[in-house]
Amino acid sequence: MLLARFAPRLGLPEISAALRPTSGQDLRRFEAAFAELAGQAEAVAFPYGRTALLLLLKALGIADLEVLCPAYTCVVVAHAIVHSGNEPVFVDSQGHDFNMDLELAERMVTKRTAAMVATSLFGYPVDLDRLASFHRRHPQVVIIQDCAHALGATWRRRPVQQEGIAAFYGLGLSKPLTSVHGGMVTTDDQSLARSLRDLRQQMISPPSAWDTLRQRAFLLAAWAGFNPNLYGLVNWLERRGELDRLASYYDEEAIDLPADALVAMASFQAAVGLAQLRRQEELLARRREVARIYDRQLEGVPGLRLPPLVEGAAYSHYVPRHDRREQIIELGLRRGVQMGRVLEYAIPELSAYRARPGAVNPCPEAAALARTVLNLPLWIEPKQALWVARMLREVVNEIC
Ligand SMILES: *Cc1c(COP(=O)(O)O)cnc(C)c1O
């Protein structure tokens, strides 16, 4: 048995949603429920989060300009900016949480800066007060929120997605809410939503029967593969590099989008997403509960820096930091717990980005995060979390 660092919370509601006959209304229903949950007027679905950002930049008419973007975030965000015909300009992280340093971002605004992607990384809410004051001083810079980790996150009781022109979400299997693959934009701007739907109509093609079959097979494989009894095999294959071709979502050298980046979400995926939305409160409460257990149980472990305690965090991940991460991961595996690295790179250091004009500023905080963050399982039972915490304490004591 091996405890996976991550597993999609797919239960009977999702699997039966995936197997039921679909209707032409699934997508519209998913969008309506998503908009309601986000507390925004409109939600528009896309094949991936990155596609959502790409079309958002196009709908806003932003081209051949600069977009401020965290140095420490998922690399596909930068890919989408490049594919929109703009230049990502990377901003280092701040020390006290994982998010982009907004003061630094402000110093990097130029005449060509058209937008900023503000991310609530790992579910830690962006400081909406700072974001609003940034926007007051630079009204020409459009603020787009990346809420791929942040559905349910609040800043001073205010849902993060509600500041800025629009927010986008990734709904892949590794996200806290999934539609197998998928993306979403939420906004209160009706005319922007209209432009997005028009662009989607022009640029996104409906899935073929083969596309839909592939997505269904992917869902069932993931459901089976994350079963704790089989996960040891998956991990063994992964370590041998056998899954790289299937699972690796980025290539160090290339700035590319997946072949199906412009193929619409299938109806059954919207049904799965809707089933997940209905469990959103329950899933969020579980992650917060397990995070609280880690917060208490891991206090004082030598060299382990715990994530900050932030009111309103949505805990897409629980990420303590340790300088001897690699050894800890190795020893954890031997004891039956897989811990991960989540984001093990700072984007400006990747070879595809190193030489780009937006990557010239040093990003020491992002680089340090990339080297030290550990990803502990949050999807587990509270009892298992106690066990994981005890294991981690023992492992760290063994090496320190
Ligand atoms: C996954 C992710 C995205 C992109 O979502 P996709 O659906 O994979 O394109 C964007 N931002 C962050 C922070 C993510 O983790």
Side-chain angles (χ1 to χ4, degrees):
M1 272 267 279
L2 176 70
L3 200 59
R5 65 179 175 260
F6 157 78
R9 302 300 307 268
L10 298 169
L12 221 49
E14 287 81 6
I15 300 303
S16 62
L19 299 176
R20 264 199 303 272
T22 55
S23 103
Q25 298 302 309
D26 289 322
L27 194 75
R28 219 186 38 76
R29 276 198 207 113
F30 182 36
E31 288 180 340
F34 204 105
E36 193 184 330
L37 188 80
Q40 301 219 265
E42 298 277 351
V44 186
F46 291 95
Y48 289 88
R50 65 201 91 169
T51 316
L53 176 58
L54 173 66
L55 268 68
L56 196 46
L57 289 166
K58 281 192 187 292
L60 291 164
I62 295 170
D64 207 13
L65 292 167
E66 293 175 2
V67 178
L68 296 169
C69 164
Y72 191 60
T73 187
C74 185
V75 69
V76 304
V77 173
H79 290 359
I81 296 170
V82 172
H83 277 260
S84 75
N86 294 288
E87 189 61 39
V89 174
F90 298 106
V91 182
D92 201 9
S93 316
Q94 50 195 2
H96 60 86
D97 62 13
F98 309 96
N99 291 333
M100 177 169 78
D101 183 335
L102 290 174
E103 277 173 25
L104 194 57
E106 191 152 1
R107 292 202 291 277
M108 290 163 75
V109 172
T110 71
K111 282 205 276 296
R112 295 187 59 228
T113 309
M116 171 159 87
V117 175
T119 309
S120 294
L121 202 70
F122 305 142
Y124 293 91
V126 156
D127 180 336
L128 293 187
D129 298 323
R130 280 211 182 155
L131 207 56
S133 63
F134 175 98
H135 192 57
R136 272 196 301 279
R137 284 190 292 271
H138 306 282
Q140 78 285 7
V141 179
V142 169
I143 292 179
I144 297 170
Q145 291 224 43
D146 178 351
C147 292
H149 295 169
L151 198 60
T154 56
W155 174 261
R156 307 216 159 120
R157 301 187 178 269
R158 196 153 170 244
V160 276
Q161 66 274 9
Q162 294 177 359
E163 184 76 44
I165 187 107
F168 72 97
Y169 312 75
L171 305 173
L173 274 179
S174 69
K175 306 300 187 221
L177 184 136
T178 185
S179 57
V180 191
H181 288 109
M184 193 69 81
V185 170
T186 60
T187 180
D188 286 326
D189 186 324
Q190 310 270 359
S191 87
L192 175 60
R194 250 191 321 276
S195 316
L196 279 171
R197 288 184 204 281
D198 289 346
L199 260 183
R200 183 173 67 175
Q201 182 74 25
Q202 291 163 31
M203 291 182 61
I204 309 289
S205 52
S208 65
W210 168 244
D211 290 321
T212 303
L213 186 69
R214 232 171 8 104
Q215 296 280 2
R216 275 209 167 90
F218 191 74
L219 172 66
L220 293 174
W223 187 49
F226 279 102
N227 179 307
N229 297 304
L230 288 178
Y231 196 72
L233 174 67
V234 174
N235 180 63
W236 181 77
L237 288 169
E238 189 180 359
R239 279 162 69 80
R240 285 171 40 106
E242 298 287 343
L243 298 184
D244 285 357
R245 271 157 302 152
L246 290 174
S248 95
Y249 68 97
Y250 74 97
D251 171 350
E252 269 269 354
E253 309 287 332
I255 299 180
D256 52 11
L257 296 176
D260 58 358
L262 299 177
V263 176
M265 189 186 277
S267 290
F268 93 87
Q269 292 177 256
V272 171
L274 188 57
Q276 284 257 289
L277 267 189
R278 296 202 171 113
R279 297 208 294 146
Q280 173 60 14
E281 286 295 322
E282 164 210 331
L283 298 178
L284 177 61
R286 164 61 64 81
R287 296 198 304 274
R288 284 185 168 146
E289 182 185 0
V290 172
R292 267 197 307 275
I293 292 174
Y294 287 145
D295 283 332
R296 277 199 300 270
Q297 300 293 323
L298 294 172
E299 230 186 302
V301 173
L304 196 71
R305 269 169 294 170
L306 297 185
L309 296 170
V310 179
E311 170 98 24
Y315 293 100
S316 67
H317 301 75
Y318 189 88
V319 278
R321 303 174 57 184
H322 201 288
D323 291 335
R324 300 175 78 176
R325 173 180 71 186
E326 300 307 317
Q327 257 179 304
I328 292 172
I329 290 175
E330 230 9 82
L331 289 171
L333 264 184
R334 280 190 224 156
R335 292 169 186 239
V337 180
Q338 183 190 47
M339 290 172 279
R341 303 171 179 81
V342 231
L343 295 168
E344 72 279 28
Y345 52 80
I347 302 174
E349 294 181 340
L350 294 175
S351 54
Y353 283 93
R354 215 172 286 150
R356 295 191 74 98
V360 294
N361 299 296
C363 294
E365 293 284 349
L369 285 168
R371 272 196 314 275
T372 55
V373 299
L374 261 170
N375 182 18
L376 304 192
L378 274 179
W379 58 277
I380 53 182
E381 302 287 328
K383 220 170 45 209
Q384 293 173 297
L386 286 170
W387 173 66
V388 170
R390 186 154 14 95
M391 179 284 307
L392 183 54
R393 185 179 283 279
E394 284 169 15
V395 158
V396 174
N397 283 330
E398 199 177 309
I399 58 175
C400 292

